[in-house]
Amino acid sequence: MAAVAAGDGAGSGAAGSPEAPAGGTGGGGWRRPHGPLQRYYGPSAAEAAEAAPDPTDINGPHFDPEVFMTKVRSKCPLGQLLAQEAALGREIRALDSDMQTLLYENYNKFISATDTIRKMKVDFRHMEAEMDDLAANMAAISASSARVSAALQDRHRRGAQLAGVQALLRKLQALVEVPGRLRHWAGTEPTRALRCYGRARSVLRHYRHLPSFRAIEDESHAIMAELAQRLRTRLRYETLDPKELTECVEILLQLEEPPEELSEEFLSQAGTRLEAELAMLEAELPTSDPSGTAATPPPASDILDFVDRGSSAFVGTLCQLAGSYRTLFGSDTGRLEPFATVLATRYFGLLERRLALERGLGDTSLLVRALDRFHRRLQALLELLPEGAAAAAALVARAARERVDRYLRALQTFFLGCLGDVRQALAAPRPPGKEGPGLPDLLATLAASVLGQLKAVLAYVQLFTARDVTFASLPYFKGEFCVAAVREGLVVAFVRWLCRTARGFADGPAERGAPAAPPALLLLLARLCLDYENSTISYILTLTDEQFPPQDSGPAVTPGPALCAEARAAAQRLLDHYVQVQGAAVAQMLRKSVETRDWLGTVEPRNVRAVMKRVVEDITAIDVQVGQLFEEGVRRAQSSDSSRRAFSVYSSSRAPGRYAPSYTPSAPMDTHLLSNIQKLFSERIDIFSPVEFNKVSVLTGIIKISLKTLLECVRLRTLGRFGLQQVQVDGHYLQLYLWRFASDERVVQGLLDEVAASAAHRCLDPVPMEHSVVELICERG
Amino acid sequence: ARALTPQTAETDAIRFLVGTQSLRYDNQIHIIDFDDENNIINKNVLLHQVGEIWHISTSSADKGVLATCYNKTSDTKVMTCAAVWRMPKELESGSHESPDDSSSNTQTLELLCHLDNTAHGNMACVMWEPMGDGKKIISLADNNILLWDLQESSAKAVLSSSAALEGKGQLKFTSGRWSPHHNCTQIATANDTTVRGWDTRSMRQIYCIENAHGQLVRDLDFNPNKQYYLASCGDDCKVKFWDTRNVTEPVKTLEEHSHWVWNVRYNHSHDQLILTGSSDSRVILSNMVSISSEPFGHMVDDDELSDQEDQHQEEKIKEPLQDSVIATYEEHEDSVYAVEWSSADPWLFASLSYDGRLVINRVPRALKYHILL
């Protein structure tokens, strides 16, 4: 045994790989008992697929004991052989016991099955007998039923015959009565007569070979013909309301009158009726007077009433007629359409004339409601008149546009009225001691009233696009009306017009002759335009866009900045003009004073000339005026140079240290030389140059114009010694009072220096006055 | 200095006459020769001792004859008088060999005659008949127009006719021009804001432009090629162009200057070129094609062009130019009181400012060729 065990161990160690099939056989041992059974009931797919037959597979179908033996014998060592033999023996025994168990079980089942079958056989025999009984009973029942029905058949047939005869008799009776009834109804209720006739007609036609029936038929024919005749007469000569008309034509149609002819008559009848209604509407309109609008009386009824009546009467009738026409003559509207178009066009024409009467501003809501009603009623006609809808929409749009235009004009008139008021307020003589309304008040009133009016107009116009108005949903009102009519046509046009008008004050009257606008008005308008540029335009546009939302793909709109630029340009123009006008006024004064004086023979100056005082007064007044409307503006910090030149009068009024000198003058220079050098390096002074929107700039502009005039005038004169001294005094006086108005003191100084230099140049005997004396005179003056 | 004039009768040399204004020294007339080829300016000085010169004009027929308006000052009175002078013969046509120290050999003007104005007031300007034989001159004195005949080779001036402007207030002519059209029978004058036209034969007013400018009218000029066109300038900084047949509206208005416009001059040959001088110290050369005699955009065949040897002949521009400012000259430091085109070279002009600076400029070359070709 030890040897076997050893050999087995060696064998298993030596032949590791050939062991594998043996192990596999061992592993498959469990299933082995079911394998044959399975095979018996049919090989499974897996086994069928098993391709290569292995003769050594002890469980396989191709098992070949010879091969197996040979293989085992040749391959396995003795130990293993023995072990395999023992294993095989064990397996065989196990299989045997399994087989026995199965056999026994099967046998038991077989026995019980046999018992069951035997029991069933007994039961069936019993049931057969009962079925036979049942069949016999059924046969008896059917026989008796046949007997009964045979007995009743005869009587039933007789009853049916009787019923038929009675029905026939009743029909005959009805036929006989037909003419009477027809006659009875033909007068009062043609519809019933017609129905009756319709029922009887086919029968009568069928039996017309019988004389009595023919008589009846002829009679009823005659009656119906008469009826038809009567109806036609009625149709032709009487005025029928639409319902009667429809009825009438319907009956005639059923009486087989020719429909062509009928439809024509129908239309002509309807036409007369509609014409009558139109005529009624037209009667309300004043006779169109091509010569002028002078004596047209105000329309008797307001537009809403008119449209109401027009739509309820005319449009309603037209709708009704069109509807009945369609039901009567089918959907072929070849004749109806042109008919309706002609009438509708006339109606539109009437309405247009009526709208044209709405000249005044009146009540927009009334107009809107009227238009709305008109449009709504017309919707009913839409399917009938597709082009009518377009025409109606165009009409409404035209009316709306017209209204907007009128509002624009009203706004313009209003603005002009406001301006007139302002002018009056400006021109009104002020009671002494009591200040009239200040410029800011006037400006505020003007701006507020114009803006208020504009808003009110927008609110009115908005009625056209209100949600509950039907035509507001038209694409025109959604898009083009908002953008083209309201935004461009009303708001933008108004702002543009305002700017243009304002500019007109600057451009127009200055040219020739026409009464020039008062300077204060120019100033006021400049401020107004500037305000528009700053805020009002954007406010108005936002408001408009809110109330009339523009469509994205709509026509191009004028952008706000463009308008702002226009307003700004107008404001600039006005302010420039203001400066020129005021400057010219002062300059004129100076020029006259220089030209008329005899500068050679003048006496030694004792006073500042009155005209200079007047100039200072005027400029102070202008300063006050401008200061009411415009901000102070930036003053250029005085250079130390000018502060050195400043005289004690106003150098003392300055807070010390406020104008901290950035540099100290290097050396006192001759002022004349200094100013000459300064002139070389300083930029040119543009005299009539555009000004900025602030007080200082405006005042500087005016002062520049005045002083330059003084300079040019002095250059044209020849002065004596005292003339020069007078100029000296005047110049000093001006400098004393004007520096505070100008943005750059050096401008004033420079110009006055030039005046002094020119005066010295034009002087025959240039002996300047003592500076202290000059100061003294000025202070005294 | 305010007085500047080209030597009208001279057509070859570019020569300007400038009168000085000085109260305390002897006044002079400077004859400025400009040598275009060498870009050299030559100056000859003539003494004019009677007073400071406010206006100067040269005879259109005789190179050597000129007229001045000058201030005669006494202790208490200033009187503006006018006189006709003859310059020395050798200076008539310019002496290029004049020595550098020209001030040393100053020569004196020979007085031909005085225009006696004791009865008429201050002389504002003297105008020579533009076409004739230099025998007729017109002077404006306060509110009078005086037409003089020069007799005995200008040695004697006889007042042949006169007209006075009547009205309320002190009316004073500021300037005037003699129209070269209508056989030289029309003049235009300016007083205050009004421009008036006169017929020299009847000495009657023929048209009147009321309120031609917002303020004083400073100067006038006639379009040399279009007989009814007139330019005016004034204290409202504007230059206006008028058609004298319709005096209610200006044909065109220029607003380029920023102060009074003292002078306006049409170019003698190319009337679209307008020169203006202003007390904003600027000289502006404008191109007013739309109201000039130049037809718009008219093309001329090349051979036709080559036939025209005279450059004064009207040339056609190739494409229409817009009305525009061609150039602004800012060489002056002070107010410019006079601008004049050269009588010899139509592309050259001079401007004079208060401080005595005379600037000679040329029309930009590009524009010149544009007009010529």
Side-chain angles (χ1 to χ4, degrees), chain A residues 418-757:
Chain A
C418 281
L419 273 190
D421 289 350
V422 169
R423 279 182 91 140
Q424 238 164 23
L426 286 176
R430 308 255 162 91
K434 192 184 155 220
E435 272 295 296
L439 283 179
D441 295 343
L442 283 175
L443 175 69
T445 323
L446 178 64
S449 56
V450 167
L451 193 61
Q453 190 72 5
L454 187 62
K455 271 188 193 163
V457 164
L458 278 183
Y460 281 136
V461 172
Q462 207 183 10
L463 288 173
F464 279 106
T465 58
R467 213 167 288 265
D468 57 340
V469 177
T470 43
F471 56 75
S473 59
L474 287 175
Y476 169 79
F477 277 94
K478 271 191 171 157
E480 207 193 324
F481 181 70
C482 287
V483 176
V486 177
R487 194 181 190 280
E488 296 295 310
L490 185 65
V491 179
V492 173
F494 177 66
V495 173
R496 285 230 161 103
W497 176 85
L498 192 143
C499 293
R500 260 204 320 279
T501 312
R503 277 188 85 112
F505 280 105
D507 293 334
E511 285 297 318
R512 314 172 49 91
L521 184 68
L522 294 177
L523 197 63
L524 196 77
L525 283 174
R527 184 70 223 185
L528 184 70
C529 285
L530 193 65
D531 285 346
Y532 265 73
E533 189 250 335
N534 283 338
S535 57
T536 316
I537 284 178
S538 67
Y539 171 70
I540 292 175
L541 284 186
T542 318
L543 190 75
T544 314
D545 286 349
E546 257 170 34
Q547 293 188 348
F548 303 93
Q551 281 176 331
D552 300 334
S553 58
V557 297
T558 318
L563 276 185
C564 288
E566 246 172 79
R568 189 176 182 87
Q572 183 75 57
R573 184 75 191 79
L574 280 166
L575 202 62
D576 286 353
H577 188 64
Y578 175 77
V579 169
Q580 282 181 22
V581 166
Q582 296 285 40
V586 177
Q588 194 74 5
M589 211 152 61
L590 285 170
R591 189 161 72 87
K592 284 279 183 289
S593 80
V594 173
E595 278 179 3
T596 50
R597 195 177 175 102
D598 177 13
W599 291 98
L600 268 180
T602 185
V603 293
E604 188 167 3
R606 307 218 172 275
N607 268 316
V608 179
R609 282 189 304 149
V611 68
M612 292 302 163
K613 290 180 183 168
R614 181 77 198 285
V615 164
V616 171
E617 271 168 30
D618 279 7
I619 287 181
T620 314
I622 293 170
D623 178 61
V624 171
Q625 196 177 50
V626 178
Q628 284 178 331
L629 290 179
F630 286 91
E631 297 78 26
E632 178 69 25
V634 192
R635 204 181 286 273
R636 198 180 293 179
Q638 275 93 350
S639 73
S640 53
D641 169 52
S642 67
S643 70
R644 182 185 66 79
R645 292 183 47 93
F647 302 102
S648 58
V649 178
Y650 48 94
S651 61
S652 63
S653 69
R654 284 181 194 160
R658 191 167 159 203
Y659 301 100
S662 51
Y663 66 94
T664 46
S666 49
M669 264 197 253
D670 172 44
T671 51
H672 184 70
L673 181 62
L674 191 77
S675 88
N676 268 353
I677 292 172
Q678 210 171 18
K679 206 165 102 188
L680 274 179
F681 291 102
S682 68
E683 71 274 32
R684 282 163 193 275
I685 301 167
D686 279 345
I687 305 302
F688 288 98
S689 56
V691 293
E692 287 162 31
F693 293 105
N694 57 52
K695 191 179 86 178
V696 168
S697 175
V698 170
L699 264 293
T700 311
I702 294 172
I703 291 171
K704 273 196 299 192
I705 292 172
S706 316
L707 293 186
K708 180 75 177 179
T709 305
L710 182 64
L711 170 68
E712 293 296 341
C713 290
V714 165
R715 281 185 182 178
L716 286 173
R717 307 290 303 185
T718 308
L719 294 83
R721 181 205 294 180
F722 298 132
L724 168 68
Q725 293 180 353
Q726 182 70 61
V727 170
Q728 213 183 344
V729 169
D730 292 349
H732 183 65
Y733 180 80
L734 286 181
Q735 207 229 337
L736 213 53
Y737 289 99
L738 291 185
W739 69 269
R740 72 184 92 145
F741 298 123
S743 66
D744 190 351
E745 198 185 316
R746 277 176 301 173
V747 174
V748 178
Q749 191 57 55
L751 280 166
L752 284 173
D753 283 348
E754 273 192 58
V755 171

Side-chain angles (χ1 to χ4, degrees), chain B residues 85-117:
Chain B
W85 310 86
R86 173 175 292 283
M87 61 176 88
K89 272 273 183 263
E90 63 269 28
L91 290 178
E92 262 180 32
S93 49
S95 54
H96 291 285
E97 70 277 8
S98 80
D100 289 334
D101 53 341
S102 52
S103 54
S104 62
N105 68 335
T106 48
Q107 289 161 299
T108 319
L109 284 166
E110 175 195 348
L111 176 69
L112 292 178
C113 59
H114 280 292
L115 301 180
D116 181 23
N117 64 327

